Amino acid sequence: EPEVTQTPSHQVTQMGQEVILRCVPISNHLYFYWYRQILGQKVEFLVSFYNNEISEKSEIFDDQFSVERPDGSNFTLKIRSTKLEDSAMYFCASRERTGGETQYFGPGTRLLVL
Amino acid sequence: AQSVSQHNHHVILSEAASLELGCNYSYGGTVNLFWYVQYPGQHLQLLLKYFSGDPLVKGIKGFEAEFIKSKFSFNLRKPSVQWSDTAEYFCAVLSGGYNKLIFGAGTRLAVHP
């Protein structure tokens, strides 16, 4: 069964550094999402991406964040200058276009900012 | 804005006990509702979903949920839990034109043999 994959599984970085989290969505899916879960808190929506552009973003998704689908298979989330409060589990998800409201999630990347 | 509330943050049960996890949502119009499960060390997996039709929805692994519009609820149930059901359970509602998910805080279930 096709799955969403994410790399790395864990990332430790220093405050102020840039990080790129990578996701490979399911191949025939057209909508892509990033969510995050700070330890002990809810899973929160960050951004949705369709047709090579951001379709919706949350208040969390400020200028420090960007997303890209550079090559038709990868979907990346970049944090330009990480802050301590960016420490969280980041989940990628994807879904089909027609009749496909179900989102399929990747295993997540645990980001720790020191 | 839509929101989802899960009443129980931690639930501890013995095997064969019945399970009911509460979920309430805030939106009064047409809703699409989901329960996701996250087993230890694994990714979020879909347990079941409700879009329309029969308000009693059956999912995988013997789980079911009932959509009660008048109560804004979508509670998850299982008649007899197993140790392998130990996981975190998330209720979610679909929101907006591009279908982002709004999640509840999650319920951590521990089942003891």
Side-chain angles (χ1 to χ4, degrees):
Chain A
E1 185 177 324
E3 290 184 336
V4 177
T5 59
Q6 289 184 242
T7 55
S9 58
H10 295 79
Q11 173 122 22
V12 181
T13 189
Q14 295 291 323
M15 191 169 57
Q17 294 296 303
E18 174 184 285
V19 294
I20 297 175
L21 310 183
R22 291 182 168 79
C23 169
V24 179
I26 295 172
S27 62
N28 63 337
H29 286 191
L30 298 176
Y31 290 83
F32 313 109
Y33 305 82
W34 283 101
Y35 295 82
R36 78 171 186 191
Q37 186 181 27
I38 295 172
L39 191 63
Q41 297 186 24
K42 294 184 180 187
V43 177
E44 303 170 288
F45 167 76
L46 291 178
V47 65
S48 60
F49 191 86
Y50 170 70
N51 200 26
N52 282 321
E53 60 183 21
I54 290 173
S55 46
E56 188 174 359
K57 59 184 180 180
S58 72
E59 293 172 353
I60 303 166
F61 195 89
D62 61 22
D63 292 344
Q64 292 301 311
F65 290 88
S66 62
V67 289
E68 198 176 36
R69 190 158 158 79
D71 56 13
S73 62
N74 290 285
F75 178 51
T76 62
L77 174 70
K78 182 192 290 187
I79 309 175
R80 286 190 188 83
S81 178
T82 49
K83 303 189 275 277
L84 296 177
E85 54 264 38
D86 294 327
S87 295
M89 180 74 94
Y90 288 81
F91 295 105
C92 173
S94 68
R95 70 175 179 96
E96 297 176 276
R97 189 171 79 180
T98 52
E101 284 79 12
T102 299
Q103 293 179 28
Y104 295 86
F105 283 79
T109 294
R110 188 171 292 283
L111 176 65
L112 178 61
V113 182
L114 301 175
Chain B
Q2 289 187 354
S3 64
V4 176
S5 299
Q6 290 183 243
H7 316 300
N8 316 100
H9 296 298
H10 291 90
V11 173
I12 302 172
L13 294 173
S14 298
E15 274 193 317
S18 65
L19 171 72
E20 181 159 2
L21 302 182
C23 172
N24 286 93
Y25 60 92
S26 62
Y27 181 61
T30 302
V31 286
N32 296 321
L33 294 156
F34 301 79
W35 276 97
Y36 280 86
V37 61
Q38 188 175 30
Y39 297 103
Q42 297 188 28
H43 57 279
L44 287 160
Q45 300 173 38
L46 182 68
L47 265 183
L48 48 79
K49 61 187 177 186
Y50 171 80
F51 289 165
S52 63
D54 188 344
L56 185 62
V57 180
K58 294 197 184 298
I60 61 171
K61 306 188 181 191
F63 286 91
E64 64 180 32
E66 186 174 12
F67 170 62
I68 303 179
K69 190 173 182 179
S70 61
K71 295 185 178 179
F72 296 85
S73 71
F74 189 56
N75 292 353
L76 182 71
R77 300 195 292 246
K78 186 170 183 178
S80 176
V81 294
Q82 301 170 323
W83 176 79
S84 57
D85 293 324
T86 295
E88 189 157 16
Y89 293 81
F90 295 93
C91 183
V93 64
L94 216 53
S95 173
Y98 289 94
N99 291 344
K100 64 177 182 282
L101 286 169
I102 307 295
F103 283 89
T107 297
R108 201 175 287 276
L109 171 67
V111 180
H112 294 294

